[in-house]
Amino acid sequence: MLLNLEQATSLIVERAGQLVNQLVEQRGHEKPPFLSEEYARLLDIKRIEKTDLGEVGAVLLRFHGGYVIKVNQKHNLARQNFSCAHEIGHTLLSELKLEACLEDVEFRTFNPQAQRIARAGARERLCDAAATELLMPEMVFKKYLSAFGVSINSIERLANIFRVSLQAAAIRIAEASAEPCIALLWLSRPGNKSKALRLAWHVGPGNKSTGKANYAPVHTLVRHTSTLYRAYQGETLVKSSKLFRFGAATKRCPMESRGFGREERRYVISLAFPDR
Ligand SMILES: [Zn+2]
């Protein structure tokens, strides 16, 4: 059976959803957080070991008796939780034999190396999609999101409750929000000599499996004179608007932004709302 990326994504997310249901049934409640350790017990994963892995988040080892996940103990707990869930995604990928099913048409290119990179990228995105559903199950996340409101001010609360990073929570908001919402991440260059922010990624609303939003910001550089830059400098919510391109048209959308992290690791997350 051949599958495109979108079909493969819904299959692996569906399998992750089954695990969520199994866990909820076993513990008798659906209160977050959903931890990788809890899922490991439901699967063929013997243990999760905290160890020193340098720059790597986690690795998956296959043994005759089952899997062992090694996770980087130097990373914070939210990151460890996602890295482990991503490795659980790899076990689901092989359980479902999805990799062999991915249609070559998705990776058609004249350059075999580019093809290998595209395949690897698709595989990693599938594992991220599974991890996202395991840690922030759509149905549960939606309940909390509608209680807190789709706002940049809900990101910290959601990240703490679901024990994920702020960026993972922001991406999930864009995916799960009933109202169309685009999440964006802005970074400065090391040292920030140019006093500007650059767009690192933007997500949703759009094609979940490719991760590509239908809306793309027209300008991807934020200068220090811009309103948005105030989010980088201060601690409060900054309201501004931004021009987005979708297809051949452009539209100005209202946006909420906030700065997070300190000094070299300072970054800004924005949520834009095409329908407001
Ligand atoms: Zn991976």
Side-chain angles (χ1 to χ4, degrees), residues 97-110:
K97 299 182 174 64
L98 278 181
E99 211 172 335
C101 298
L102 281 177
E103 242 171 348
D104 275 333
V105 65
E106 302 272 347
F107 313 105
R108 193 168 292 161
T109 154
F110 294 112

Side-chain angles (χ1 to χ4, degrees), residues 112-255:
Q113 200 194 341
Q115 197 174 54
R116 262 199 306 279
I117 291 167
R119 266 191 182 280
R123 188 174 61 220
E124 297 310 307
R125 272 207 301 275
L126 287 171
C127 296
D128 280 346
T132 302
E133 178 60 23
L134 291 172
L135 303 187
M136 296 173 278
E138 191 171 2
M139 292 316 293
V140 182
F141 192 86
K142 277 183 167 165
K143 284 181 198 165
Y144 281 79
L145 181 58
S146 68
F148 296 165
V150 183
S151 161
I152 200 82
N153 283 336
S154 303
I155 289 180
E156 260 175 319
R157 288 173 82 188
L158 288 165
N160 288 336
I161 288 170
F162 285 86
R163 225 166 289 175
V164 294
S165 69
L166 296 166
Q167 294 182 31
I171 291 171
R172 194 53 159 167
I173 289 175
E175 287 174 353
S177 166
E179 177 195 358
C181 171
I182 308 158
L184 306 97
L185 177 72
W186 307 93
L187 300 174
S188 64
R189 288 265 167 85
N192 195 22
K193 286 202 191 85
S194 56
K195 291 201 166 177
L197 305 175
R198 271 158 220 281
L199 181 71
W201 51 250
H202 67 286
V203 177
N207 190 333
K208 265 191 201 174
S209 62
T210 62
K212 277 199 187 121
N214 290 334
Y215 290 81
V218 173
H219 305 290
T220 56
L221 185 75
V222 174
R223 291 179 202 285
H224 65 95
T225 46
S226 137
T227 312
L228 174 54
Y229 196 81
R230 278 190 232 141
Y232 183 78
Q233 295 169 306
E235 292 302 327
T236 52
L237 182 154
V238 170
K239 290 194 174 194
S240 61
S241 69
K242 196 144 200 66
L243 200 60
F244 283 82
R245 184 184 299 117
F246 60 105
T250 57
K251 185 177 181 179
R252 186 159 283 280
C253 304
M255 196 161 81

Side-chain angles (χ1 to χ4, degrees), residues 38-153:
E38 298 178 277
Y39 291 111
R41 272 180 244 128
L42 302 176
L43 292 160
D44 215 8
I45 297 163
K46 291 197 287 188
R47 59 184 185 277
I48 295 173
E49 287 176 14
K50 290 178 187 264
T51 177
D52 196 352
L53 291 174
E55 295 294 304
V56 176
V59 290
L60 179 70
L61 305 171
R62 286 158 214 259
F63 295 107
H64 281 302
Y67 296 99
V68 170
I69 294 173
K70 292 195 175 191
V71 65
N72 195 329
Q73 61 188 3
K74 284 193 180 152
H75 290 167
N76 66 47
L77 289 174
R79 194 159 165 201
Q80 288 184 28
N81 200 25
F82 199 90
S83 300
C84 280
H86 174 96
E87 298 308 323
I88 292 174
H90 277 286
T91 73
L92 302 182
L93 201 69
S94 53
E95 177 197 310
L96 298 170
K97 299 182 174 64
L98 278 181
E99 211 172 335
C101 298
L102 281 177
E103 242 171 348
D104 275 333
V105 65
E106 302 272 347
F107 313 105
R108 193 168 292 161
T109 154
F110 294 112
N111 178 343
Q113 200 194 341
Q115 197 174 54
R116 262 199 306 279
I117 291 167
R119 266 191 182 280
R123 188 174 61 220
E124 297 310 307
R125 272 207 301 275
L126 287 171
C127 296
D128 280 346
T132 302
E133 178 60 23
L134 291 172
L135 303 187
M136 296 173 278
E138 191 171 2
M139 292 316 293
V140 182
F141 192 86
K142 277 183 167 165
K143 284 181 198 165
Y144 281 79
L145 181 58
S146 68
F148 296 165
V150 183
S151 161
I152 200 82
N153 283 336

